[in-house]
C-alpha cells in the first residue's frame, strides 16, 4: 500500500515531468518567440517596467503611465524572476514547479470527502490533463493561479469538515492572493461567507458574524494595498482596468456576433477601440466607457443576451482547447478547420458540420474525442452532484460537496461567453470536475455490477 505522502509526491512529479516535456516540445519547435504575443507579452512588459522603471505600467516608452489593467500578482512573480535572471525564460520552469502542485492538491481535496481510490485517480487525471500541462509552462496566470485557488479550496474544505478556524483564516488569505493573481475571484467572497455562517450558526449568531467578518476582513486586507494604489495612481477603485474591455468584447461582443452585427473577434475589438479611443482603451476611464456601452447594448437585447449566456454555459463544460493545443502548437499532423464560435452560439449545426467537412481522421479524433471526453466528465459531474445531494448517507459531507460545486458553477457563471470557443477559463477547476466524475464513474460501475450479478 502506497502511503498518502508518497501518493502526493508521485502526483506532483508526474505532472511536473509531463509539463516539462510539453515545454521541451514548444521550445524546440518555436523557441522563446512563442511567448512574444497575446497576454504573455503584456505580463512581461509589466514585470520589466517594475524592475527597470519602478512602475506598474504597460507603456513601452516614457513617461510609463501607471496602469491597473491587470492585477499585480503574476507580474510580481515575473518581476522577481526578471530581477534575478535578467530573463523570462526561467519563468517557464519555475512556473511548472508551482503549477505541478495542482494534481496533489486535487488528491487532498478529494480525500477529504471521498475514499483514497477516488482521490488518487482524480489526481492522476489532473496531472495528465493536456491543457493544464500546457498552461503550466506558459507565461500566463493559470499556472500559478490554479494551485493557489485549489489550496484555498482545500483549506476551506478542512474548515467545513473540522470547524478549524485557523484553516478559515488561511483560506481567506489565499482567496485574496488568488484574486490578486486573477481578479475573477473578486466576487466569490460573499458565497464563501454564506458557508461560514451555515457552518457556525449552531454556535450562535455572534460567533457566525464574527468569523464571517474576520474572513472578509482578511480577504480585503490582502487586496487593500492594490486597491489603495489604484485610487492614488489611476483614480479608480477598480481591481482591474480590463474588466470593462472584457465585458464589452466577450459578453456584448457575443451578442453582436450572434445577431450578425459583427464578424470575427477583430470586428468587436475595432468597435471597442473606436468607442474608447486608442489612448484610453486600456485605462480605467476606457473600462468605464466600454462597460457602460456594453450594459446599454445588452439592455437593448435582453433576451438575446440571456440566450447567448445560457448557451455559453453549455460550452463552458465541454470546452477543452485540445484542437489548438495538439494541432497548432504541438504540431500533430491533422486537418481540423477553425469553426467560428458564433455558429456554436446559434447551435447552427448544419454550418458547423459543413465547416468540418475538410477534417481528416486524426482531426476528427482530436476534435470530437475531446468533446466526448468533456461531455462525459461534465455529465458524470452533474449526475454525481444530484446523487450526492439526494442520498441521506452523504449528509455529513453535504456542505463540502455543495461548496466545491459552487466553486465550479461560479467559474461557469462569472466567465459566461468568455469561455466560448476555448478551455482556458475552465482549466483551474477541471480537477474539481474530475473529483465528481470519478465518483460518478465508480457508482455507475457498482450499479452495473449489481445488475449483472
Amino acid at each position: 500500500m502506497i502511503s498518502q505522502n508518497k501518493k502526493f509526491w508521485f502526483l506532483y512529479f508526474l505532472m511536473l515531468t509531463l509539463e516539462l516535456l510539453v515545454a521541451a516540445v514548444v521550445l524546440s519547435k518555436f523557441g522563446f518567440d512563442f511567448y512574444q504575443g497575446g497576454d504573455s507579452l503584456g505580463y512581461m512588459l509589466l514585470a520589466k517596467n517594475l524592475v527597470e522603471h519602478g512602475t506598474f505600467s504597460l507603456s513601452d516608452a516614457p513617461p510609463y503611465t501607471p496602469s491597473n489593467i491587470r492585477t499585480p500578482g503574476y507580474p510580481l512573480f515575473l518581476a522577481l524572476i526578471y530581477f534575478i535572471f535578467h530573463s523570462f525564460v526561467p519563468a517557464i520552469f519555475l512556473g511548472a514547479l508551482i503549477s505541478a502542485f495542482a494534481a496533489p492538491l486535487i488528491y487532498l481535496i478529494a480525500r477529504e470527502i471521498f475514499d483514497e481510490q477516488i482521490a488518487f485517480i482524480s489526481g492522476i487525471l489532473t496531472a495528465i490533463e493536456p491543457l493544464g500541462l500546457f498552461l503550466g509552462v506558459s507565461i500566463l496566470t493559470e499556472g500559478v493561479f490554479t494551485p493557489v485557488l485549489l489550496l484555498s479550496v482545500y483549506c476551506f474544505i478542512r474548515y467545513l469538515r473540522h470547524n478549524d478556524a485557523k484553516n478559515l483564516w488561511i483560506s481567506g488569505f489565499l482567496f485574496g492572493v488568488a484574486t490578486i493573481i486573477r481578479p475573477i475571484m473578486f466576487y466569490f467572497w460573499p458565497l464563501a461567507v454564506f458557508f461560514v455562517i451555515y457552518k457556525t450558526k449552531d454556535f450562535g449568531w455572534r460567533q457566525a458574524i464574527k468569523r464571517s467578518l474576520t474572513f472578509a476582513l482578511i480577504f480585503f486586507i490582502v487586496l487593500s494595498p492594490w486597491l489603495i494604489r489604484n485610487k492614488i495612481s489611476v483614480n479608480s477603485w477598480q481591481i482591474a482596468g480590463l474588466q470593462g474591455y472584457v465585458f464589452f468584447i466577450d459578453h456584448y461582443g457575443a451578442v453582436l456576433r450572434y445577431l450578425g452585427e459583427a464578424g470575427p473577434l477583430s470586428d468587436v475589438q475595432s468597435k471597442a477601440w473606436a468607442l474608447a479611443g486608442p489612448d484610453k482603451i486600456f485605462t480605467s476611464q476606457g473600462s468605464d466607457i466600454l462597460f457602460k456601452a456594453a450594459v446599454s447594448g445588452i439592455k437593448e437585447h435582453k433576451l438575446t443576451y440571456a440566450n447567448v449566456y445560457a448557451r455559453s454555459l453549455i460550452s463552458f463544460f465541454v470546452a477543452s482547447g485540445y484542437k489548438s493545443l495538439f494541432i497548432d502548437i504541438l504540431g500533430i499532423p491533422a486537418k481540423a478547420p477553425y469553426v467560428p464560435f458564433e455558429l456554436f452560439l446559434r447551435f447552427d449545426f448544419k454550418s458547423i458540420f459543413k465547416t468540418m467537412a475538410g477534417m481528416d481522421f486524426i482531426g476528427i479524433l482530436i476534435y470530437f474525442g475531446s468533446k466526448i471526453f468533456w461531455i462525459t466528465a461534465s455529465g458524470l459531474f452533474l449526475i454525481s452532484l444530484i446523487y450526492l445531494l439526494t442520498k441521506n448517507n452523504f449528509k455529513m459531507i453535504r456542505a463540502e460537496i455543495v461548496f466545491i460545486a459552487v466553486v465550479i458553477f461560479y467559474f461557469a457563471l462569472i466567465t459566461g461567453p468568455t469561455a466560448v470557443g476555448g478551455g482556458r477559463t475552465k482549466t483551474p477547476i477541471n480537477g474539481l470536475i474530475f473529483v465528481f466524475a470519478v465518483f460518478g464513474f465508480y457508482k455507475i460501475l457498482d450499479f452495473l455490477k449489481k445488475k449483472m450479478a
Side-chain angles (χ1 to χ4, degrees):
M1 181 69 71
I2 303 175
S3 69
Q4 293 174 347
N5 187 55
K6 287 182 179 178
K7 286 180 180 178
F8 181 96
W9 290 110
F10 169 80
L11 291 168
Y12 175 79
F13 284 108
L14 172 63
M15 186 166 184
L16 178 62
T17 300
L18 294 175
E19 283 181 328
L20 294 178
L21 286 173
V22 172
V25 172
V26 171
L27 290 172
S28 65
K29 284 178 63 67
F30 305 103
F32 192 72
D33 288 344
F34 178 82
Y35 299 98
Q36 303 296 316
D39 290 348
S40 300
L41 191 61
Y43 289 124
M44 288 188 285
L45 182 57
L46 287 169
K48 191 174 182 180
N49 283 339
L50 272 171
V51 174
E52 295 183 351
H53 307 291
T55 182
F56 195 83
S57 173
L58 264 178
S59 304
D60 54 6
Y64 301 107
T65 306
S67 170
N68 73 330
I69 185 172
R70 302 282 189 187
T71 44
Y74 190 65
L76 284 171
F77 169 73
L78 290 179
L80 179 62
I81 292 170
Y82 187 76
F83 177 77
I84 296 171
F85 298 100
H86 305 290
S87 169
F88 290 111
V89 175
I92 299 170
F93 306 101
L94 293 174
L97 292 174
I98 298 172
S99 175
F101 279 106
L105 283 168
I106 285 294
Y107 166 69
L108 293 181
I109 291 169
R111 201 180 67 186
E112 285 294 316
I113 54 177
F114 297 125
D115 63 37
E116 192 74 21
Q117 186 178 30
I118 290 171
F120 189 57
I121 294 174
S122 300
I124 288 177
L125 289 174
T126 304
I128 65 175
E129 197 277 311
L131 195 61
L133 296 175
F134 170 69
L135 292 174
V137 290
S138 297
I139 300 184
L140 295 167
T141 57
E142 282 76 14
V144 176
F145 171 78
T146 300
V148 174
L149 171 68
L150 295 178
L151 184 56
S152 61
V153 169
Y154 172 66
C155 290
F156 201 92
I157 293 292
R158 293 277 297 175
Y159 164 70
L160 293 176
R161 288 281 282 159
H162 308 289
N163 195 31
D164 180 3
K166 181 180 69 175
N167 275 301
L168 179 62
W169 312 146
I170 294 172
S171 178
F173 173 80
L174 290 170
F175 274 121
V177 174
T179 305
I180 285 294
I181 298 171
R182 280 193 69 187
I184 188 174
M185 295 306 298
F186 183 70
Y187 305 103
F188 185 77
W189 68 270
L191 300 175
V193 164
F194 173 82
F195 283 90
V196 176
I197 294 172
Y198 174 81
K199 180 66 180 178
T200 318
K201 64 180 179 5
D202 293 337
F203 299 95
W205 286 104
R206 181 175 293 180
Q207 178 81 323
I209 292 171
K210 180 181 177 182
R211 286 195 175 182
S212 298
L213 290 175
T214 305
F215 173 86
L217 180 63
I218 292 171
F219 175 81
F220 278 101
I221 284 174
V222 176
L223 301 185
S224 59
W226 174 245
L227 296 175
I228 293 169
R229 174 266 179 193
N230 289 344
K231 184 60 180 175
I232 294 171
S233 298
V234 299
N235 193 30
S236 173
W237 289 107
Q238 289 180 2
I239 189 168
L242 200 63
Q243 289 173 304
Y245 177 83
V246 169
F247 193 71
F248 185 94
I249 295 294
D250 292 321
H251 290 253
Y252 184 45
V255 172
L256 293 174
R257 294 171 77 176
Y258 177 87
L259 295 171
E261 296 179 13
L265 178 63
S266 57
D267 281 0
V268 184
Q269 291 173 328
S270 296
K271 291 178 183 293
W273 279 78
L275 192 62
D279 58 329
K280 292 183 179 180
I281 187 70
F282 294 132
T283 65
S284 298
Q285 295 81 3
S287 178
D288 289 337
I289 292 169
L290 293 175
F291 184 79
K292 290 175 183 177
V295 169
S296 176
I298 287 171
K299 282 182 178 179
E300 292 180 18
H301 304 284
K302 296 184 187 72
L303 294 178
T304 300
Y305 180 66
N307 188 6
V308 166
Y309 200 97
R311 295 181 185 211
S312 73
L313 295 182
I314 298 173
S315 178
F316 175 88
F317 284 102
V318 302
S320 68
Y322 295 167
K323 183 182 83 71
S324 176
L325 173 63
F326 289 136
I327 297 175
D328 300 335
I329 296 173
L330 299 183
I332 294 176
K335 293 180 180 178
Y338 170 74
V339 181
F341 94 125
E342 53 265 31
L343 298 183
F344 289 105
L345 289 177
R346 297 178 193 142
F347 286 176
D348 186 354
F349 296 109
K350 182 179 179 180
S351 298
I352 289 171
F353 284 112
K354 186 177 180 181
T355 304
M356 294 177 176
M359 280 189 179
D360 60 10
F361 176 74
I362 300 298
I364 291 172
L365 193 64
I366 292 172
Y367 186 84
F368 286 101
S370 63
K371 294 296 182 188
I372 291 169
F373 175 78
W374 278 108
I375 288 171
T376 303
S378 298
L380 286 171
F381 155 62
L382 293 172
I383 292 169
S384 298
L385 180 59
I386 294 169
Y387 178 85
L388 290 163
L389 294 179
T390 54
K391 293 295 181 179
N392 287 332
N393 50 325
F394 293 101
K395 192 173 182 179
M396 292 296 294
I397 56 171
R398 192 156 291 167
E400 293 86 341
I401 290 165
V402 173
F403 179 76
I404 295 174
V406 165
V407 174
I408 293 171
F409 284 113
Y410 173 84
F411 270 77
L413 290 167
I414 205 73
T415 55
T418 307
V420 176
R424 181 182 166 189
T425 52
K426 180 168 69 72
T427 300
I429 50 90
N430 280 345
L432 298 177
I433 293 175
F434 288 149
V435 173
F436 285 92
V438 174
F439 172 83
F441 174 80
Y442 275 104
K443 279 298 174 184
I444 291 174
L445 203 61
D446 289 341
F447 174 79
L448 293 175
K449 285 179 180 178
K450 290 176 182 178
K451 285 291 183 181
M452 295 172 65

